[in-house]
Amino acid sequence: VVYLSPDAEEALEDVTSDTVYIIGGIVDLAARGVAWSLPKAKKYGIRAARLPIRENMPGVTNQILNIDTVLQVLCEKYGGKGWAEALEAALPARKQSERPARFKRPLNK
């Protein structure tokens, strides 16, 4: 069993059929900034790991993904793609680059 958490120190190395993956991300915007999944994994003694986003897509600064995106990344990796390919295929274009700071974001005119 692997508890997936964006706050885990260990990066997931592979996706295998004999491992159960708990997707620990929180979709609710109000929960961002609060680590929920890592403390839960530690509480129950479950190995925690994160998707290797920073190793394969260094421009991505927001590591919190929707549950469906995490599932798609896992499926892409399980299907034989490398991590960079799997992440690129699953992450929306808006997630594949650095998010500008709120005060630096361009205004829609």
Side-chain angles (χ1 to χ4, degrees):
V1 176
V2 176
Y3 206 127
L4 295 173
S5 170
D7 302 302
E9 290 183 29
E10 177 189 346
L12 191 62
E13 292 181 18
D14 203 3
V15 178
T16 62
S17 62
D18 61 346
T19 302
V20 173
Y21 299 93
I22 301 170
I23 300 176
I26 302 297
V27 177
D28 183 6
L29 290 175
R32 290 192 181 179
V34 178
W36 291 89
S37 50
L38 185 59
K40 188 114 17 194
K42 288 181 178 181
K43 177 180 177 181
Y44 294 107
I46 300 171
R47 176 182 158 222
R50 59 178 171 74
L51 295 177
I53 297 171
R54 52 186 103 130
E55 292 83 357
N56 292 279
M57 299 185 88
V60 176
T61 56
N62 184 2
Q63 307 287 313
I64 299 172
L65 304 174
N66 292 333
I67 291 170
D68 58 328
T69 303
V70 174
L71 184 58
Q72 186 178 352
V73 171
L74 294 175
C75 289
E76 297 283 351
K77 177 63 178 156
Y78 184 72
K81 291 184 177 176
W83 279 115
E85 283 181 295
L87 290 162
E88 190 173 311
L91 267 65
R94 71 184 193 291
K95 288 281 210 174
Q96 292 190 26
S97 60
E98 183 177 355
R99 291 181 84 184
R102 186 169 294 258
F103 60 90
K104 292 182 181 178
R105 290 185 190 175
L107 298 174
N108 288 334
K109 294 183 180 182

